[in-house]
Amino acid sequence: MDKKKIARVAAFRYKILAIIFLVLAGGLVLLPKYQKQEGIKSETLLSHANSTERYISTDQIANKIINQDPSFILIDVRNEDSFSNYSIPNAINIPLKKIFDEESLAYLNQNQFDVVFFSNDNFYADQAWVLCDRLGFKNLRVLNGGLNKWFSTIINPKMPNEDMPDEEFELYSTRKAASMFFGVVYSDQVTTEDSNVKPEAPKQVITVQKKKKKVAEGGC
Amino acid sequence: MKELEKVKRISIASTLFILAVLIGVLTFERPKNMYAMNTKTTLEKLSTNDYMVSLNEITPEVIIIDIRSQYEYDKGHLETAINISTPDILSEENQGFFNELKDANKIVVLYGKSPQEANIPFMLLYQLGFDNVKLLAVENNYLQNKLITSQIDIEKPVADIKAFIAESVKKSNASKTIAEKTEPVKKVVTVQKKKKKVAEGGC
């Protein structure tokens, strides 16, 4: 009698176990919902976004371009029309809408270069940055102030007033030299050499090259 | 008897297994503040939806949120604005608040010192699924400690750079005979001073 009972319960157990496993398997279907989270956590993204270290100034970029620093790529996130009208030399055009296209990802998702986003302002560039940073892309930067600041600082630097400190004048002359590099011609510049302006520009650049030495000293 | 042994072992093993699974499920922590959208859909929505709001579109039903710091908020803020600074935007309390507003179908408008500043919390909330969140296209400045709010356009080019460069080239070609204004150019040499600075730092 006892044996029979035990055997019956034993047979029943298997069924219970099978049902429990089925329920658990059903639970697995619900799990992927949590795993849908793409990219880094929202808290991490917020803390990244709160720090301003992603911003790079127009002066830094101008310096890098003039020194032919190969370590970065400029990404213009404006539309094609604005890009074809004017952009920073050597920039690549990836309109904001297309940043997740296959060919764009090749530029954005790599560890070799610093990626510097820019637009007219840093509004769209920041949006591109947020989306790419969420996906965990490395070395993303944003040009602070975008092309508007590029214009007001590098292309058309404002002459400092006479009562301003010496540094302002230094900065102005550096920027002016940079603007000549980027194609702006000043009327006083033409006097030194007759008409051909372009040879002038490289001469001005030499001053900026001195910064190269800086890096060597830093290394020591 | 041997068979019974086997059955016992199997049932013990499976109960342990189930226990392990149960513990796993119970201790599984649901991540907080989950994204409701992946990056691609966010991008699509950003390019199709209109999320910029101008000052005159604000009605009394709209909830205005100031994302600047408490200090800035106390100094001056828009009327009826609520202060939730960017770093606190994901806190439980504030997320609950946003959820309530979303359930009540209210439009939430963020503003900061500039739209650029409010852009970050906006993007974050947007990706978390709060598509009732919008951005106020204003810039806040202080004039004699009074908050001045002015409407601005985002991403508006200040100047046509290409035209500017072309203009400068044209100008210089036209006035070839301007003389003796070379002094400011000479000043370029002063960049050397910067060099000294870094050398000192290096040592």
PDB file of all heavy atoms in Angstrom, chain B residues 125-148:
ATOM      1  N   LEU B 125      15.194  63.384 -21.245  1.00  0.00           N
ATOM      2  CA  LEU B 125      13.785  63.113 -20.965  1.00  0.00           C
ATOM      3  C   LEU B 125      13.088  62.551 -22.200  1.00  0.00           C
ATOM      4  O   LEU B 125      12.255  61.664 -22.115  1.00  0.00           O
ATOM      5  CB  LEU B 125      13.073  64.389 -20.498  1.00  0.00           C
ATOM      6  CG  LEU B 125      13.457  64.882 -19.116  1.00  0.00           C
ATOM      7  CD1 LEU B 125      12.841  66.234 -18.843  1.00  0.00           C
ATOM      8  CD2 LEU B 125      13.022  63.888 -18.058  1.00  0.00           C
ATOM      9  N   TYR B 126      13.473  63.058 -23.320  1.00  0.00           N
ATOM     10  CA  TYR B 126      12.868  62.619 -24.576  1.00  0.00           C
ATOM     11  C   TYR B 126      13.144  61.139 -24.794  1.00  0.00           C
ATOM     12  O   TYR B 126      12.270  60.379 -25.168  1.00  0.00           O
ATOM     13  CB  TYR B 126      13.459  63.448 -25.713  1.00  0.00           C
ATOM     14  CG  TYR B 126      12.530  63.631 -26.884  1.00  0.00           C
ATOM     15  CD1 TYR B 126      11.414  64.442 -26.775  1.00  0.00           C
ATOM     16  CD2 TYR B 126      12.780  63.002 -28.091  1.00  0.00           C
ATOM     17  CE1 TYR B 126      10.569  64.621 -27.837  1.00  0.00           C
ATOM     18  CE2 TYR B 126      11.933  63.172 -29.163  1.00  0.00           C
ATOM     19  CZ  TYR B 126      10.820  63.987 -29.041  1.00  0.00           C
ATOM     20  OH  TYR B 126       9.974  64.156 -30.099  1.00  0.00           O
ATOM     21  N   GLN B 127      14.377  60.753 -24.526  1.00  0.00           N
ATOM     22  CA  GLN B 127      14.719  59.350 -24.727  1.00  0.00           C
ATOM     23  C   GLN B 127      14.075  58.455 -23.683  1.00  0.00           C
ATOM     24  O   GLN B 127      13.883  57.269 -23.904  1.00  0.00           O
ATOM     25  CB  GLN B 127      16.235  59.166 -24.687  1.00  0.00           C
ATOM     26  CG  GLN B 127      16.923  59.800 -25.863  1.00  0.00           C
ATOM     27  CD  GLN B 127      18.403  59.601 -25.800  1.00  0.00           C
ATOM     28  OE1 GLN B 127      18.909  58.538 -26.087  1.00  0.00           O
ATOM     29  NE2 GLN B 127      19.133  60.624 -25.401  1.00  0.00           N
ATOM     30  N   LEU B 128      13.768  59.019 -22.533  1.00  0.00           N
ATOM     31  CA  LEU B 128      13.085  58.240 -21.510  1.00  0.00           C
ATOM     32  C   LEU B 128      11.601  58.099 -21.825  1.00  0.00           C
ATOM     33  O   LEU B 128      10.861  57.470 -21.082  1.00  0.00           O
ATOM     34  CB  LEU B 128      13.248  58.899 -20.139  1.00  0.00           C
ATOM     35  CG  LEU B 128      14.658  58.880 -19.563  1.00  0.00           C
ATOM     36  CD1 LEU B 128      14.720  59.707 -18.295  1.00  0.00           C
ATOM     37  CD2 LEU B 128      15.106  57.472 -19.269  1.00  0.00           C
ATOM     38  N   GLY B 129      11.168  58.713 -22.893  1.00  0.00           N
ATOM     39  CA  GLY B 129       9.800  58.519 -23.337  1.00  0.00           C
ATOM     40  C   GLY B 129       8.865  59.663 -23.028  1.00  0.00           C
ATOM     41  O   GLY B 129       7.677  59.578 -23.287  1.00  0.00           O
ATOM     42  N   PHE B 130       9.378  60.729 -22.480  1.00  0.00           N
ATOM     43  CA  PHE B 130       8.502  61.877 -22.203  1.00  0.00           C
ATOM     44  C   PHE B 130       8.408  62.736 -23.452  1.00  0.00           C
ATOM     45  O   PHE B 130       9.118  63.723 -23.602  1.00  0.00           O
ATOM     46  CB  PHE B 130       9.050  62.708 -21.038  1.00  0.00           C
ATOM     47  CG  PHE B 130       9.116  61.949 -19.752  1.00  0.00           C
ATOM     48  CD1 PHE B 130      10.320  61.514 -19.247  1.00  0.00           C
ATOM     49  CD2 PHE B 130       7.970  61.673 -19.042  1.00  0.00           C
ATOM     50  CE1 PHE B 130      10.388  60.805 -18.074  1.00  0.00           C
ATOM     51  CE2 PHE B 130       8.037  60.960 -17.862  1.00  0.00           C
ATOM     52  CZ  PHE B 130       9.243  60.524 -17.375  1.00  0.00           C
ATOM     53  N   ASP B 131       7.520  62.360 -24.347  1.00  0.00           N
ATOM     54  CA  ASP B 131       7.464  63.145 -25.583  1.00  0.00           C
ATOM     55  C   ASP B 131       6.553  64.358 -25.434  1.00  0.00           C
ATOM     56  O   ASP B 131       6.286  65.048 -26.404  1.00  0.00           O
ATOM     57  CB  ASP B 131       7.071  62.273 -26.788  1.00  0.00           C
ATOM     58  CG  ASP B 131       5.932  61.342 -26.452  1.00  0.00           C
ATOM     59  OD1 ASP B 131       5.290  61.563 -25.405  1.00  0.00           O
ATOM     60  OD2 ASP B 131       5.674  60.403 -27.226  1.00  0.00           O
ATOM     61  N   ASN B 132       6.085  64.597 -24.207  1.00  0.00           N
ATOM     62  CA  ASN B 132       5.347  65.844 -23.983  1.00  0.00           C
ATOM     63  C   ASN B 132       6.294  66.980 -23.563  1.00  0.00           C
ATOM     64  O   ASN B 132       5.865  68.064 -23.262  1.00  0.00           O
ATOM     65  CB  ASN B 132       4.279  65.635 -22.901  1.00  0.00           C
ATOM     66  CG  ASN B 132       4.870  65.105 -21.615  1.00  0.00           C
ATOM     67  OD1 ASN B 132       5.897  64.429 -21.637  1.00  0.00           O
ATOM     68  ND2 ASN B 132       4.254  65.414 -20.500  1.00  0.00           N
ATOM     69  N   VAL B 133       7.591  66.658 -23.565  1.00  0.00           N
ATOM     70  CA  VAL B 133       8.580  67.659 -23.157  1.00  0.00           C
ATOM     71  C   VAL B 133       9.011  68.479 -24.364  1.00  0.00           C
ATOM     72  O   VAL B 133       9.277  67.934 -25.431  1.00  0.00           O
ATOM     73  CB  VAL B 133       9.801  66.972 -22.525  1.00  0.00           C
ATOM     74  CG1 VAL B 133      10.891  67.966 -22.238  1.00  0.00           C
ATOM     75  CG2 VAL B 133       9.402  66.273 -21.241  1.00  0.00           C
ATOM     76  N   LYS B 134       9.050  69.770 -24.183  1.00  0.00           N
ATOM     77  CA  LYS B 134       9.483  70.643 -25.272  1.00  0.00           C
ATOM     78  C   LYS B 134      10.517  71.640 -24.772  1.00  0.00           C
ATOM     79  O   LYS B 134      10.780  71.730 -23.574  1.00  0.00           O
ATOM     80  CB  LYS B 134       8.288  71.375 -25.864  1.00  0.00           C
ATOM     81  CG  LYS B 134       7.324  70.421 -26.543  1.00  0.00           C
ATOM     82  CD  LYS B 134       6.270  71.160 -27.304  1.00  0.00           C
ATOM     83  CE  LYS B 134       5.186  70.251 -27.808  1.00  0.00           C
ATOM     84  NZ  LYS B 134       5.605  69.261 -28.777  1.00  0.00           N
ATOM     85  N   LEU B 135      11.080  72.359 -25.706  1.00  0.00           N
ATOM     86  CA  LEU B 135      12.153  73.302 -25.376  1.00  0.00           C
ATOM     87  C   LEU B 135      11.698  74.721 -25.648  1.00  0.00           C
ATOM     88  O   LEU B 135      11.089  74.991 -26.681  1.00  0.00           O
ATOM     89  CB  LEU B 135      13.356  73.021 -26.269  1.00  0.00           C
ATOM     90  CG  LEU B 135      14.519  72.240 -25.687  1.00  0.00           C
ATOM     91  CD1 LEU B 135      15.629  72.171 -26.712  1.00  0.00           C
ATOM     92  CD2 LEU B 135      15.014  72.886 -24.430  1.00  0.00           C
ATOM     93  N   LEU B 136      12.014  75.600 -24.743  1.00  0.00           N
ATOM     94  CA  LEU B 136      11.660  77.006 -24.935  1.00  0.00           C
ATOM     95  C   LEU B 136      12.844  77.714 -25.601  1.00  0.00           C
ATOM     96  O   LEU B 136      13.968  77.633 -25.109  1.00  0.00           O
ATOM     97  CB  LEU B 136      11.351  77.629 -23.571  1.00  0.00           C
ATOM     98  CG  LEU B 136      10.672  78.978 -23.548  1.00  0.00           C
ATOM     99  CD1 LEU B 136       9.333  78.903 -24.261  1.00  0.00           C
ATOM    100  CD2 LEU B 136      10.467  79.439 -22.129  1.00  0.00           C
ATOM    101  N   ALA B 137      12.582  78.358 -26.709  1.00  0.00           N
ATOM    102  CA  ALA B 137      13.660  78.997 -27.460  1.00  0.00           C
ATOM    103  C   ALA B 137      13.937  80.391 -26.921  1.00  0.00           C
ATOM    104  O   ALA B 137      13.658  81.390 -27.573  1.00  0.00           O
ATOM    105  CB  ALA B 137      13.316  79.053 -28.937  1.00  0.00           C
ATOM    106  N   VAL B 138      14.455  80.436 -25.711  1.00  0.00           N
ATOM    107  CA  VAL B 138      14.761  81.753 -25.147  1.00  0.00           C
ATOM    108  C   VAL B 138      16.165  81.761 -24.560  1.00  0.00           C
ATOM    109  O   VAL B 138      16.752  80.732 -24.261  1.00  0.00           O
ATOM    110  CB  VAL B 138      13.795  82.149 -24.012  1.00  0.00           C
ATOM    111  CG1 VAL B 138      12.416  82.397 -24.536  1.00  0.00           C
ATOM    112  CG2 VAL B 138      13.815  81.135 -22.911  1.00  0.00           C
ATOM    113  N   GLU B 139      16.641  82.950 -24.414  1.00  0.00           N
ATOM    114  CA  GLU B 139      17.936  83.141 -23.799  1.00  0.00           C
ATOM    115  C   GLU B 139      17.707  84.035 -22.591  1.00  0.00           C
ATOM    116  O   GLU B 139      16.948  84.990 -22.666  1.00  0.00           O
ATOM    117  CB  GLU B 139      18.851  83.837 -24.797  1.00  0.00           C
ATOM    118  CG  GLU B 139      20.292  83.673 -24.491  1.00  0.00           C
ATOM    119  CD  GLU B 139      21.114  84.261 -25.611  1.00  0.00           C
ATOM    120  OE1 GLU B 139      20.750  85.344 -26.110  1.00  0.00           O
ATOM    121  OE2 GLU B 139      22.084  83.624 -26.000  1.00  0.00           O
ATOM    122  N   ASN B 140      18.340  83.686 -21.472  1.00  0.00           N
ATOM    123  CA  ASN B 140      18.158  84.498 -20.276  1.00  0.00           C
ATOM    124  C   ASN B 140      19.444  85.221 -19.932  1.00  0.00           C
ATOM    125  O   ASN B 140      20.491  84.603 -19.767  1.00  0.00           O
ATOM    126  CB  ASN B 140      17.746  83.612 -19.104  1.00  0.00           C
ATOM    127  CG  ASN B 140      16.332  83.129 -19.258  1.00  0.00           C
ATOM    128  OD1 ASN B 140      15.432  83.921 -19.458  1.00  0.00           O
ATOM    129  ND2 ASN B 140      16.151  81.829 -19.187  1.00  0.00           N
ATOM    130  N   ASN B 141      19.356  86.495 -19.831  1.00  0.00           N
ATOM    131  CA  ASN B 141      20.518  87.291 -19.445  1.00  0.00           C
ATOM    132  C   ASN B 141      20.141  88.161 -18.265  1.00  0.00           C
ATOM    133  O   ASN B 141      18.968  88.352 -17.973  1.00  0.00           O
ATOM    134  CB  ASN B 141      20.969  88.180 -20.605  1.00  0.00           C
ATOM    135  CG  ASN B 141      21.643  87.361 -21.671  1.00  0.00           C
ATOM    136  OD1 ASN B 141      22.519  86.554 -21.373  1.00  0.00           O
ATOM    137  ND2 ASN B 141      21.220  87.555 -22.901  1.00  0.00           N
ATOM    138  N   TYR B 142      21.155  88.678 -17.635  1.00  0.00           N
ATOM    139  CA  TYR B 142      20.884  89.578 -16.528  1.00  0.00           C
ATOM    140  C   TYR B 142      21.301  90.984 -16.907  1.00  0.00           C
ATOM    141  O   TYR B 142      22.373  91.183 -17.468  1.00  0.00           O
ATOM    142  CB  TYR B 142      21.648  89.139 -15.282  1.00  0.00           C
ATOM    143  CG  TYR B 142      21.110  87.863 -14.708  1.00  0.00           C
ATOM    144  CD1 TYR B 142      21.746  86.659 -14.939  1.00  0.00           C
ATOM    145  CD2 TYR B 142      19.951  87.867 -13.953  1.00  0.00           C
ATOM    146  CE1 TYR B 142      21.244  85.476 -14.431  1.00  0.00           C
ATOM    147  CE2 TYR B 142      19.442  86.701 -13.438  1.00  0.00           C
ATOM    148  CZ  TYR B 142      20.091  85.508 -13.669  1.00  0.00           C
ATOM    149  OH  TYR B 142      19.584  84.347 -13.160  1.00  0.00           O
ATOM    150  N   LEU B 143      20.438  91.910 -16.611  1.00  0.00           N
ATOM    151  CA  LEU B 143      20.809  93.301 -16.774  1.00  0.00           C
ATOM    152  C   LEU B 143      20.547  93.973 -15.438  1.00  0.00           C
ATOM    153  O   LEU B 143      19.399  94.020 -14.992  1.00  0.00           O
ATOM    154  CB  LEU B 143      19.972  93.941 -17.883  1.00  0.00           C
ATOM    155  CG  LEU B 143      20.378  95.367 -18.218  1.00  0.00           C
ATOM    156  CD1 LEU B 143      21.760  95.395 -18.842  1.00  0.00           C
ATOM    157  CD2 LEU B 143      19.375  95.994 -19.158  1.00  0.00           C
ATOM    158  N   GLN B 144      21.570  94.414 -14.809  1.00  0.00           N
ATOM    159  CA  GLN B 144      21.454  95.005 -13.483  1.00  0.00           C
ATOM    160  C   GLN B 144      20.638  94.109 -12.555  1.00  0.00           C
ATOM    161  O   GLN B 144      19.662  94.528 -11.926  1.00  0.00           O
ATOM    162  CB  GLN B 144      20.813  96.386 -13.568  1.00  0.00           C
ATOM    163  CG  GLN B 144      21.723  97.360 -14.240  1.00  0.00           C
ATOM    164  CD  GLN B 144      21.048  98.671 -14.522  1.00  0.00           C
ATOM    165  OE1 GLN B 144      19.832  98.789 -14.448  1.00  0.00           O
ATOM    166  NE2 GLN B 144      21.846  99.668 -14.837  1.00  0.00           N
ATOM    167  N   ASN B 145      21.054  92.835 -12.538  1.00  0.00           N
ATOM    168  CA  ASN B 145      20.437  91.840 -11.673  1.00  0.00           C
ATOM    169  C   ASN B 145      18.982  91.545 -11.988  1.00  0.00           C
ATOM    170  O   ASN B 145      18.283  90.933 -11.204  1.00  0.00           O
ATOM    171  CB  ASN B 145      20.554  92.252 -10.207  1.00  0.00           C
ATOM    172  CG  ASN B 145      21.807  91.667  -9.606  1.00  0.00           C
ATOM    173  OD1 ASN B 145      22.253  90.614 -10.056  1.00  0.00           O
ATOM    174  ND2 ASN B 145      22.369  92.333  -8.639  1.00  0.00           N
ATOM    175  N   LYS B 146      18.550  91.998 -13.130  1.00  0.00           N
ATOM    176  CA  LYS B 146      17.184  91.667 -13.515  1.00  0.00           C
ATOM    177  C   LYS B 146      17.236  90.689 -14.676  1.00  0.00           C
ATOM    178  O   LYS B 146      18.048  90.838 -15.582  1.00  0.00           O
ATOM    179  CB  LYS B 146      16.469  92.948 -13.952  1.00  0.00           C
ATOM    180  CG  LYS B 146      15.114  93.090 -13.293  1.00  0.00           C
ATOM    181  CD  LYS B 146      14.468  94.380 -13.725  1.00  0.00           C
ATOM    182  CE  LYS B 146      13.169  94.105 -14.441  1.00  0.00           C
ATOM    183  NZ  LYS B 146      12.654  95.286 -15.103  1.00  0.00           N
ATOM    184  N   LEU B 147      16.402  89.687 -14.589  1.00  0.00           N
ATOM    185  CA  LEU B 147      16.414  88.667 -15.625  1.00  0.00           C
ATOM    186  C   LEU B 147      15.745  89.183 -16.894  1.00  0.00           C
ATOM    187  O   LEU B 147      14.624  89.650 -16.865  1.00  0.00           O
ATOM    188  CB  LEU B 147      15.672  87.422 -15.123  1.00  0.00           C
ATOM    189  CG  LEU B 147      15.741  86.209 -16.031  1.00  0.00           C
ATOM    190  CD1 LEU B 147      17.074  85.512 -15.886  1.00  0.00           C
ATOM    191  CD2 LEU B 147      14.609  85.259 -15.727  1.00  0.00           C
ATOM    192  N   ILE B 148      16.488  89.109 -17.965  1.00  0.00           N
ATOM    193  CA  ILE B 148      15.925  89.521 -19.241  1.00  0.00           C
ATOM    194  C   ILE B 148      15.772  88.272 -20.093  1.00  0.00           C
ATOM    195  O   ILE B 148      16.746  87.585 -20.378  1.00  0.00           O
ATOM    196  CB  ILE B 148      16.856  90.496 -19.981  1.00  0.00           C
ATOM    197  CG1 ILE B 148      17.256  91.659 -19.090  1.00  0.00           C
ATOM    198  CG2 ILE B 148      16.223  90.955 -21.275  1.00  0.00           C
ATOM    199  CD1 ILE B 148      16.214  92.696 -18.911  1.00  0.00           C
TER     200      ILE B 148
END
